[in-house]
Amino acid sequence: LELVEKSLQERQQVPRLFDILRVTLDVLEGEVPEPALLLAAFSLKVSALTGYRPQLDRCLHCDCEITDATAYLDLAEGGVACNRCRLTSGERVALSAEGLALMRLLLRNDMAAVSHMGCGRGGAREALSASLRLAESFMERPLRSRHIIMRYLDGQTRPAG
């Protein structure tokens, strides 16, 4: 909810945003195989619907197709930089091939489809962390809930003992 509140200008209407919020909350009430994946998709879709859809297919700086095992999410520019251009980007987050592929997939699929996707927990956490950092960058303010969400997910992944 914090992400939606901070993403919108006063009186700004984005009807699809509230549809995505409703579906996400409905799905989270039930059993979700990987909540981090659903939350990452939600964050990416909020960014896209408010005009900050990240460029995830080509390098923002040299326009080459991203095929390296590691890409870099340029937070200020809102997209990925290739390995060669990473030093010309500002604040950046390294993305594994799995994390980048997941973020691309999450942007392409609707929330109902995302709720049934399976993936490794590490990839889902990476996509969530990167998508929340991207949202914070375009909003130019931190999300208090990012740390709470990540701590909660950390607690879920620890073995009982």
Side-chain angles (χ1 to χ4, degrees):
L1 294 174
E2 180 188 16
L3 178 60
V4 172
E5 177 188 355
K6 288 185 176 181
S7 296
L8 296 175
Q9 303 292 327
E10 190 173 330
R11 300 187 194 274
Q12 181 180 4
Q13 295 182 8
V14 184
R16 288 194 51 219
L17 181 65
F18 293 103
D19 291 340
I20 289 171
L21 175 60
R22 182 186 47 75
V23 170
T24 303
L25 292 174
D26 287 348
V27 170
L28 284 172
E29 281 185 338
E31 287 293 316
V32 179
E34 188 49 69
L37 203 56
L38 188 70
L39 294 171
F42 179 74
S43 178
L44 288 166
K45 290 177 186 308
V46 168
S47 296
L49 287 170
T50 55
Y52 296 94
R53 181 184 184 93
Q55 160 60 288
L56 299 176
D57 295 319
R58 303 190 75 76
C59 177
L60 291 168
H61 306 285
C62 69
D63 200 39
C64 73
E65 187 175 356
I66 302 292
T67 57
D68 293 331
T70 301
Y72 298 86
L73 184 62
D74 184 325
L75 298 175
E77 297 294 324
V80 290
C82 67
N83 192 42
R84 191 177 70 237
C85 295
R86 77 182 187 283
L87 298 176
T88 62
S89 335
E91 187 178 1
R92 60 193 176 277
V93 174
L95 286 174
S96 67
E98 179 188 13
L100 179 58
L102 269 174
M103 290 177 74
R104 289 172 176 161
L105 192 63
L106 296 174
L107 271 172
R108 283 194 304 265
N109 285 281
D110 64 30
M111 296 305 281
V114 169
S115 70
H116 298 305
M117 284 181 188
C119 74
R121 207 168 248 176
R125 276 189 44 85
E126 179 184 14
L128 174 59
S129 179
S131 66
L132 290 174
R133 293 278 311 275
L134 184 66
E136 288 176 327
S137 181
F138 85 73
M139 293 183 309
E140 298 179 344
R141 53 184 137 173
L143 290 167
R144 291 184 312 253
S145 57
R146 177 170 63 97
H147 300 291
I148 295 166
I149 291 167
M150 299 313 282
R151 274 196 307 266
Y152 170 76
L153 293 172
D154 283 344
Q156 275 193 325
T157 60
R158 287 195 188 110

